[in-house]
Amino acid sequence: MSTFKDLLSDMVAANRILASQGVCDAFGHISVRNPDNPNAYLLSCARAPQLVEREDIMEFALDGTPMHGDTRKPFLERFIHGALYAERADVHCVIHSHSRSVIPFTVTPAQLRPVVHSCATIGHAVPVWDAQTSFGDTNLLIANEAMGRDFASVMGEGNSALMRGHGSTVVGASIREAVYTAVYLEVNASLQIAASGLGPITFLTEGEVEIIQSRLADAKPGEGYDRAWEYWCRQAGVEPCQPGGEG
Amino acid sequence: MSTFKDLLSDMVAANRILASQGVCDAFGHISVRNPDNPNAYLLSCARAPQLVEREDIMEFALDGTPMHGDTRKPFLERFIHGALYAERADVHCVIHSHSRSVIPFTVTPAQLRPVVHSCATIGHAVPVWDAQTSFGDTNLLIANEAMGRDFASVMGEGNSALMRGHGSTVVGASIREAVYTAVYLEVNASLQIAASGLGPITFLTEGEVEIIQSRLADAKPGEGYDRAWEYWCRQAGVEPCQPGGEG
Amino acid sequence: MSTFKDLLSDMVAANRILASQGVCDAFGHISVRNPDNPNAYLLSCARAPQLVEREDIMEFALDGTPMHGDTRKPFLERFIHGALYAERADVHCVIHSHSRSVIPFTVTPAQLRPVVHSCATIGHAVPVWDAQTSFGDTNLLIANEAMGRDFASVMGEGNSALMRGHGSTVVGASIREAVYTAVYLEVNASLQIAASGLGPITFLTEGEVEIIQSRLADAKPGEGYDRAWEYWCRQAGVEPCQPGGEG
Amino acid sequence: MSTFKDLLSDMVAANRILASQGVCDAFGHISVRNPDNPNAYLLSCARAPQLVEREDIMEFALDGTPMHGDTRKPFLERFIHGALYAERADVHCVIHSHSRSVIPFTVTPAQLRPVVHSCATIGHAVPVWDAQTSFGDTNLLIANEAMGRDFASVMGEGNSALMRGHGSTVVGASIREAVYTAVYLEVNASLQIAASGLGPITFLTEGEVEIIQSRLADAKPGEGYDRAWEYWCRQAGVEPCQPGGEG
């Protein structure tokens, strides 16, 4: 069973992986729900993910207030994380990024959908949230609870949602699942852009997506998420925890 | 003449090369027929190719059963390998991957064909297998012998075949030949995508493909596959075996 | 408050960052206005940015004349820098580059405009200067004061402008701001090219651009430019100065 | 003035640069005319350019015969080099490659032309040679003197020419000039592909190309080719010779 110490190790590893795999650059962030307190989540202070160390991780109440009197500068967009943990009991990890290939699908009519089996965790079709719809001209950032709730309502029960002119957010039942979905959301977007130049695309059927998602949900340690996790840890230069070590 | 020890070295090198050249990421696998037992093949346990060590290599009967009482977790999709060794006496190496540029050709009407001489080993036109055709909604993986045989029948006598919404598989008479074809299948796909944006493409003629394939088949050590192998070993950080050392 | 020594460190760091982030290759250059003499600017002698050391930095009068009797070879195109410092009192840093994704927007009717919030500092729409318009056939370089002034008039009060068949130039109130804009001009161009293949693009509104620019202008140390600066320094293998250390 | 020893150092550096800059992969080759014997040229034995050492360099007569009784395996396509040295007294270096972005222009009606000033050395428009025209179905390689002469006639007095379904060849008055043109032929192709997706392209005028070429021809050491050479040497991990050291 996981310990809090393993969780922090996995958080540092996840930050490095997201940078190494091109999901995050100077910006973007990953949080995990506190396994000992479902009304709180862990998130780094405002730093580039590649640079995040164990000591940078802060704890927040779901309304975005730093806990334990922590006065370090938090990410402005922590309201994305709090809103999703409040709305979705099944969500234990949230990743927000501006990964590059995904952006074009936030500003064009093209809908991001899975073209390949390894990307099925993104869901059958990925919705797009637009800050203009409810809030008019803004700086496009989710900077308060009202915007967070509005965004969460667009994501609904899915695993991923895009933000117009901004980026995307994915969720998962664990750090490894959410990291997997974040990486493959970017991969799928890149593949779909390339395929769009070749003719009409045959996307996965709804039935295929459901079968793949249920197989991954049943996977044992060492399968699916863990094989990718071990590889990505090596690429990012971090030691992986034991399989299943993140809870 | 090759020894079994050289074969294992080449298998480890091939795994690293496939990762280094962008053919495999966390997923994908390469097998070689046992030179001492044509009814068996060697394949790593389920790990990312970049991480495969000599000790990870298992032996399987053509029906996918692990030999020697080995209880490590095998790749689910080993049935691709067994089916091709069963159907094709000329095949001594099989590589399955999800290499990125190839995927768009699995989900669009565009047919993957050689645009440049170095890619002629992929064949004059690359067929696409679709799990839907015979098996309806699945997780798209080749998870049993029936699917393996169905896929092998689509590949026919060629060197490569695509899988809709999934990836591709190439075969060769040796590890170096199959690795060469796997790398250049990806290269050709990338070139064909770029060329598709510029106008109608002049593909190699059938005559050109045949001349190139027969020249490579006649190549002496140090030519063709071996020059690329030496370079790719260096790029992957592994010591190459002696030319021709793989059998 | 900043010292001249910190300024030189930031200049070396900025050169390395521009190379590391793919803004400059063998060519391109960055200058900073002398904080102690607004009629002079600092700019490396003619070298690839990746190779620039503290000792390479020269000082120039706004007309492009080297100061202090310095006889090292200067960049031919230093007239870009002098013209912008002469015309724009708000400009303290100028970066000229041939960054790759931007070039297509200099030779096609497509207008470069911000597609994502992080790129809003490039301005609502980026103008294109063409040497042909006023000077006919040239080698396309800005090789004298007349061309520099002509180019500055096309940039106007904005932060960035393109040069047909050549490259682009960005300005900023500080080194970190200009480096940020140079990196994100390239990012935006890359995103816009990808989006162009998917359908009509929804660009940021003028109101969104204004809100984002004013928020960044008000940012405190550690926000916005500084978070990216710390990350880019790490990627470029240089030690960052203290936040705000560049003045 | 250059020495033969400097020339060999520059040949090794050029091989590494061509690999490092993505012009060559496992294949491709660079030769230099022997400054002491215009009827001979220096070219590595058949190896991947990244691996070429000083000891690998052989000498050939213009008909492709190895000199000095050298029995190492030569490149099959050395006839490209000999034919160009025989036809063109102004040519002192020849580079043949399969650089990736150039290939699409060999198999589509799109004509490769300079889109940006730094690429003007490729010439106003790059011709395409097709082995089919005179030789019918072949393996597409230039494997004898007749094919070499046919190719040289298509290149004419220019600096570059493409080969259908194969690659490209550039020439220069020096190693550094030819390396520069080889790198920027690839850069221009990549830029032109990206620009093609955005609308009709404004290419450099013939007058602009002429002015740029004549300026480069008059450049002093440290300008143009040498600035790029120093940078590319650093990126390739080799020590540059003194400026002008290659003759």
Side-chain angles (χ1 to χ4, degrees):
Chain A
M1 203 192 147
S2 78
T3 66
F4 203 80
K5 196 176 149 195
D6 286 343
L7 192 70
L8 290 180
S9 293
D10 267 16
M11 277 290 280
V12 171
N15 272 282
R16 304 282 171 84
I17 288 169
L18 293 170
S20 165
Q21 294 297 315
V23 174
C24 293
D25 49 13
F27 303 102
H29 22 89
I30 175 172
S31 69
V32 65
R33 196 194 288 269
N34 186 341
D36 300 326
N37 175 7
N39 292 316
Y41 61 93
L42 306 175
L43 173 69
S44 164
C45 65
R47 292 195 83 179
Q50 173 66 37
L51 309 183
V52 167
E53 304 285 354
R54 178 184 291 253
E55 294 71 32
D56 293 319
I57 296 173
M58 301 171 65
E59 188 169 4
F60 295 90
L62 297 193
D63 67 0
T65 309
M67 294 170 69
H68 318 299
D70 200 328
T71 58
R72 287 176 289 178
K73 182 178 160 50
F75 286 112
L76 176 63
E77 292 202 284
R78 63 195 180 279
F79 301 99
I80 299 170
H81 302 265
L84 289 163
Y85 292 124
E87 293 290 327
R88 297 269 301 267
D90 60 316
V91 167
H92 292 271
C93 182
V94 175
I95 299 171
H96 169 63
S97 84
H98 312 151
S99 84
R100 303 279 167 89
S101 302
V102 174
I103 301 290
F105 293 93
T106 76
V107 295
T108 60
Q111 189 175 35
L112 189 58
R113 294 176 56 191
V115 296
V116 65
H117 71 104
S118 50
C119 301
T121 63
I122 67 173
H124 183 57
V126 183
V128 182
W129 175 79
D130 188 343
Q132 278 284 344
T133 310
S134 302
F135 303 94
D137 279 346
T138 65
N139 63 12
L140 295 170
L141 303 179
I142 293 188
N144 56 52
E145 286 189 271
M147 294 180 86
R149 278 192 299 265
D150 195 55
F151 172 71
S153 74
V154 167
M155 183 182 278
E157 297 302 308
N159 291 335
S160 62
L162 311 187
M163 292 119 143
R164 194 268 306 165
H166 179 179
S168 58
T169 296
V170 305
V171 300
S174 68
I175 291 175
R176 292 176 192 199
E177 181 183 323
V179 167
Y180 180 94
T181 300
V183 171
Y184 278 102
L185 184 75
E186 171 67 12
V187 169
N188 194 84
S190 163
L191 296 172
Q192 190 171 339
I193 289 170
S196 295
L198 296 177
I201 300 172
T202 302
F203 294 98
L204 298 202
T205 68
E206 286 201 49
E208 289 169 340
V209 171
E210 277 170 32
I211 290 170
I212 293 166
Q213 290 193 343
S214 64
R215 177 173 178 265
L216 275 167
D218 298 343
K220 290 188 288 284
E223 291 177 358
Y225 304 132
D226 287 344
R227 196 191 309 164
W229 181 263
E230 184 192 18
Y231 175 57
W232 291 333
C233 280
R234 182 78 69 94
Q235 289 206 304
V238 294
E239 278 298 311
C241 284
Q242 292 307 309
E246 56 130 334
Chain B
M1 203 193 148
S2 78
T3 67
F4 203 79
K5 196 177 150 195
D6 286 342
L7 192 69
L8 290 180
S9 293
D10 266 16
M11 277 290 279
V12 171
N15 271 282
R16 303 283 170 85
I17 288 169
L18 293 170
S20 165
Q21 294 297 315
V23 174
C24 293
D25 50 13
F27 303 102
H29 23 90
I30 175 173
S31 70
V32 65
R33 196 194 288 270
N34 186 339
D36 301 326
N37 175 6
N39 292 315
Y41 61 92
L42 306 174
L43 173 69
S44 164
C45 65
R47 292 195 83 179
Q50 173 66 36
L51 309 182
V52 167
E53 305 285 354
R54 179 183 290 251
E55 294 72 31
D56 292 319
I57 295 172
M58 301 170 64
E59 188 169 5
F60 295 90
L62 296 192
D63 68 0
T65 309
M67 294 170 69
H68 318 299
D70 200 327
T71 58
R72 286 176 290 177
K73 182 178 161 47
F75 286 111
L76 176 63
E77 292 202 285
R78 62 195 180 278
F79 301 99
I80 300 169
H81 302 265
L84 289 163
Y85 292 124
E87 294 290 327
R88 297 268 302 268
D90 60 317
V91 168
H92 292 272
C93 181
V94 175
I95 299 171
H96 169 62
S97 84
H98 311 152
S99 84
R100 302 279 166 89
S101 303
V102 174
I103 301 288
F105 294 92
T106 77
V107 295
T108 59
Q111 190 175 34
L112 190 58
R113 295 176 56 190
V115 296
V116 64
H117 72 105
S118 50
C119 301
T121 64
I122 67 173
H124 182 57
V126 184
V128 182
W129 175 80
D130 188 343
Q132 278 283 345
T133 310
S134 301
F135 302 95
D137 279 346
T138 65
N139 63 14
L140 295 170
L141 304 179
I142 293 188
N144 57 52
E145 286 188 272
M147 295 179 86
R149 279 192 298 267
D150 195 56
F151 172 72
S153 75
V154 167
M155 184 181 280
E157 296 303 308
N159 290 336
S160 62
L162 311 187
M163 293 118 143
R164 194 269 306 164
H166 179 178
S168 58
T169 296
V170 305
V171 301
S174 68
I175 291 176
R176 292 176 192 200
E177 181 184 324
V179 167
Y180 180 94
T181 301
V183 171
Y184 278 102
L185 185 74
E186 171 67 11
V187 168
N188 195 84
S190 163
L191 296 172
Q192 192 171 337
I193 289 170
S196 295
L198 296 178
I201 300 171
T202 302
F203 295 99
L204 298 202
T205 68
E206 286 200 50
E208 289 169 340
V209 171
E210 276 169 33
I211 291 170
I212 293 165
Q213 290 192 343
S214 64
R215 178 172 178 264
L216 275 167
D218 297 342
K220 290 188 287 282
E223 291 177 358
Y225 305 133
D226 287 345
R227 196 191 310 165
W229 181 264
E230 183 192 19
Y231 174 57
W232 291 333
C233 280
R234 181 77 69 94
Q235 288 206 305
V238 296
E239 277 299 310
C241 283
Q242 292 306 309
E246 55 132 335
Chain C
M1 204 193 145
S2 79
T3 66
F4 203 80
K5 196 177 151 195
D6 286 342
L7 191 70
L8 290 180
S9 293
D10 266 16
M11 277 291 279
V12 171
N15 272 281
R16 303 283 169 84
I17 288 170
L18 293 171
S20 165
Q21 295 297 316
V23 174
C24 293
D25 50 13
F27 303 102
H29 22 88
I30 175 172
S31 70
V32 65
R33 195 194 288 268
N34 185 340
D36 301 326
N37 175 6
N39 292 315
Y41 61 92
L42 307 175
L43 173 68
S44 165
C45 66
R47 293 194 81 180
Q50 173 66 37
L51 309 182
V52 168
E53 305 285 354
R54 179 184 290 252
E55 293 72 31
D56 293 319
I57 296 173
M58 302 170 66
E59 188 169 5
F60 295 90
L62 296 193
D63 69 359
T65 309
M67 295 170 69
H68 317 298
D70 201 327
T71 59
R72 288 175 290 177
K73 183 179 159 48
F75 286 112
L76 176 63
E77 292 202 284
R78 62 194 180 280
F79 302 99
I80 299 169
H81 302 264
L84 289 163
Y85 292 124
E87 293 290 326
R88 297 268 301 266
D90 60 316
V91 168
H92 291 271
C93 181
V94 174
I95 299 171
H96 170 62
S97 85
H98 312 152
S99 84
R100 302 280 166 88
S101 302
V102 174
I103 302 289
F105 294 92
T106 76
V107 294
T108 59
Q111 190 175 34
L112 189 58
R113 294 176 55 191
V115 296
V116 64
H117 71 104
S118 50
C119 301
T121 63
I122 66 174
H124 182 56
V126 183
V128 182
W129 175 80
D130 188 344
Q132 279 284 344
T133 310
S134 302
F135 302 94
D137 279 345
T138 65
N139 64 12
L140 295 170
L141 304 178
I142 293 187
N144 56 51
E145 286 189 272
M147 295 180 85
R149 277 193 299 266
D150 195 55
F151 172 72
S153 75
V154 167
M155 182 181 281
E157 296 303 307
N159 290 335
S160 61
L162 311 187
M163 291 118 143
R164 195 268 305 165
H166 178 178
S168 58
T169 295
V170 304
V171 300
S174 68
I175 291 176
R176 293 176 191 198
E177 181 183 323
V179 167
Y180 180 95
T181 300
V183 171
Y184 278 102
L185 184 75
E186 172 67 12
V187 169
N188 195 84
S190 163
L191 296 172
Q192 191 170 341
I193 288 169
S196 295
L198 297 178
I201 300 172
T202 302
F203 294 99
L204 298 202
T205 67
E206 286 200 49
E208 288 168 341
V209 171
E210 276 169 34
I211 291 170
I212 294 166
Q213 290 193 344
S214 65
R215 178 174 178 263
L216 275 167
D218 297 342
K220 290 188 288 283
E223 291 177 357
Y225 305 132
D226 287 344
R227 196 191 310 163
W229 181 264
E230 184 191 19
Y231 175 58
W232 292 333
C233 280
R234 181 78 68 95
Q235 289 205 304
V238 294
E239 278 298 311
C241 284
Q242 292 308 308
E246 57 133 331
Chain D
M1 203 193 148
S2 79
T3 67
F4 203 79
K5 196 177 150 196
D6 286 342
L7 191 69
L8 290 180
S9 293
D10 266 16
M11 276 291 279
V12 171
N15 272 281
R16 304 283 170 84
I17 288 169
L18 292 170
S20 165
Q21 294 297 315
V23 174
C24 293
D25 50 13
F27 303 102
H29 23 88
I30 175 173
S31 70
V32 65
R33 195 193 290 268
N34 186 339
D36 300 326
N37 175 5
N39 293 315
Y41 61 92
L42 307 175
L43 174 69
S44 165
C45 65
R47 294 194 81 181
Q50 173 66 38
L51 309 183
V52 167
E53 304 284 355
R54 179 184 290 251
E55 294 72 31
D56 293 318
I57 296 172
M58 302 172 63
E59 188 169 5
F60 295 90
L62 296 193
D63 68 0
T65 309
M67 295 170 70
H68 318 299
D70 201 327
T71 59
R72 288 175 291 178
K73 182 178 160 51
F75 286 111
L76 175 63
E77 293 202 284
R78 63 195 179 279
F79 301 99
I80 299 169
H81 303 264
L84 289 163
Y85 293 123
E87 293 290 327
R88 297 267 301 267
D90 60 317
V91 168
H92 292 271
C93 181
V94 175
I95 299 171
H96 169 62
S97 84
H98 311 152
S99 85
R100 301 280 165 89
S101 302
V102 174
I103 302 288
F105 294 92
T106 76
V107 294
T108 59
Q111 189 174 36
L112 190 57
R113 295 175 55 191
V115 296
V116 65
H117 72 104
S118 50
C119 300
T121 63
I122 68 174
H124 182 57
V126 183
V128 182
W129 175 80
D130 188 344
Q132 279 283 345
T133 310
S134 301
F135 302 94
D137 279 345
T138 65
N139 64 12
L140 295 170
L141 304 179
I142 293 187
N144 56 53
E145 286 188 272
M147 294 180 86
R149 279 191 298 266
D150 196 55
F151 172 72
S153 75
V154 167
M155 182 181 281
E157 296 303 308
N159 290 336
S160 62
L162 311 188
M163 293 118 143
R164 195 270 304 165
H166 179 178
S168 58
T169 296
V170 304
V171 300
S174 68
I175 291 176
R176 293 176 191 199
E177 181 183 324
V179 167
Y180 180 94
T181 300
V183 171
Y184 278 102
L185 184 75
E186 171 67 11
V187 168
N188 195 84
S190 164
L191 296 173
Q192 192 171 340
I193 289 170
S196 295
L198 296 178
I201 300 172
T202 301
F203 295 99
L204 298 202
T205 68
E206 287 200 49
E208 289 169 340
V209 170
E210 276 169 35
I211 291 170
I212 294 165
Q213 290 193 343
S214 65
R215 177 173 178 263
L216 275 166
D218 298 342
K220 290 187 287 282
E223 291 178 358
Y225 305 133
D226 287 344
R227 196 192 310 165
W229 181 263
E230 184 192 19
Y231 175 58
W232 292 333
C233 280
R234 180 78 68 94
Q235 288 205 304
V238 296
E239 278 298 310
C241 283
Q242 292 307 308
E246 57 132 334

